Amino acid sequence: MRNCINQLITEPSVASAMFEYRFTGNGELAGHNLGNLILKALDHLSVRPLEAINIIRNLLKVDAFLIPMSEQPVDLVAQDSEGNMVYGETAIDEMKQAPEELMPHPNVVPTREALDAVAEADLILIGPGSFYTSLMPILLMEEMARALHRTPATMVFIGNLGRELSPAAASLTVADKLAMMEKAIGKRVIDAVVVGPSADTRGVSERLIVREPLEAADIRYRHDRQLLRRALEHAIQAV
């Protein structure tokens, strides 16, 4: 959650530096991040997760809303080809072969705010992110899948720039990912894909492909905000 909030900060400030501060030395707090401690403290105070996020947003002067997919504790579980259950995002990302099944445990419901946001949206962006452990979990909640099935909003998939660390996810093409996401949602909903120049888009048909340079100058596997914004504008105008 802290990393998501950090990505929404557009103007560095003392508050944002404080939120990112990591304690050094040999004391009890050594190595701990202050932002995580603040979020943990709010949790101990029984503050609703969405309210805690809004408190941090106001502190950091972040205008964009950040809505958790669910406010209930949940683990991600996968089943491999031999029927073994694999628990947790880290273990799933280490799988050599694609999971036969992916599921939340226990089944949780999305926040009402998340469902309302989907219902009211004009544009929905999926990605970038780790496919099996960041993008797919949202689609595995039945109510969220139904909301995405119903929405008339334009939907755009943003591909990763770097090769995924997950061996199973790294072997997937853009077409593979679209097929899996739309199987979870229940119909063809993604209108366009935005990818870098070297992306493998074989098999992607009957939808717009925007292929443009998107890499940040300092870290090549990260998207440059302005380049991505321009590519999205091109996609929206053409859909």
Side-chain angles (χ1 to χ4, degrees):
M1 188 64 68
R2 177 179 60 85
N3 288 334
C4 292
I5 294 173
N6 281 335
Q7 292 301 312
L8 297 175
I9 297 172
T10 56
E11 295 185 10
S13 64
V14 173
S16 64
M18 180 185 72
F19 192 64
E20 269 299 280
Y21 180 78
R22 190 173 296 277
F23 292 91
T24 58
N26 299 314
E28 292 183 0
L29 294 178
H32 287 284
N33 175 272
L34 182 56
N36 286 338
L37 293 177
I38 293 172
L39 289 169
K40 191 67 175 177
L42 290 169
D43 180 57
H44 283 183
L45 291 170
S46 299
V47 175
R48 185 186 175 203
L50 184 57
E51 183 181 349
I53 292 169
N54 288 333
I55 290 171
I56 300 298
R57 282 181 52 245
N58 292 333
L59 173 68
L60 301 179
K61 295 181 171 57
V62 171
D63 294 328
F65 287 97
L66 181 64
I67 304 173
M69 71 175 194
S70 178
E71 293 184 307
Q72 301 164 275
V74 61
D75 289 317
L76 188 63
V77 182
Q79 181 177 327
D80 67 16
S81 58
E82 297 179 353
N84 300 310
M85 307 306 291
V86 181
Y87 293 86
E89 294 181 8
T90 301
I92 292 171
D93 272 338
E94 292 174 350
M95 294 176 68
K96 304 300 182 186
Q97 296 181 336
E100 294 292 317
E101 188 176 0
L102 201 62
M103 66 206 85
H105 179 75
N107 285 320
V108 294
V109 296
T111 57
R112 174 49 51 189
E113 289 84 355
L115 295 174
D116 289 344
V118 169
E120 297 168 6
D122 297 314
L123 173 67
I124 295 174
L125 307 178
I126 301 179
S130 301
F131 182 71
Y132 284 120
T133 55
S134 292
L135 304 189
M136 283 301 296
I138 300 171
L139 309 181
L140 298 176
M141 294 186 294
E142 292 183 5
E143 286 187 62
M144 181 57 70
R146 286 197 294 268
L148 292 168
H149 189 283
R150 291 191 299 264
T151 180
T154 298
M155 204 172 299
V156 180
F157 173 70
I158 304 171
N160 294 334
L161 297 180
R163 182 178 176 84
E164 283 210 45
L165 297 179
S166 161
S171 66
L172 298 175
T173 65
V174 173
D176 293 332
K177 294 178 180 180
L178 296 180
M180 292 179 65
M181 290 187 290
E182 291 181 334
K183 180 180 179 180
I185 294 170
K187 72 173 184 179
R188 182 188 179 281
V189 293
I190 297 172
D191 302 289
V193 298
V194 172
V195 294
S198 61
D200 181 359
T201 56
R202 289 174 296 177
V204 178
S205 60
E206 298 182 358
R207 55 188 113 208
L208 177 69
I209 300 174
V210 176
R211 187 189 301 273
E212 296 183 8
L214 300 170
E215 296 174 345
D218 54 344
I219 303 177
R220 298 182 65 83
Y221 59 81
R222 287 189 180 174
H223 291 74
D224 178 271
R225 292 189 181 190
Q226 295 305 317
L227 293 178
L228 180 56
R229 177 177 179 175
R230 185 171 64 188
L232 288 171
E233 288 174 348
H234 293 163
I236 295 165
Q237 291 167 2
V239 168

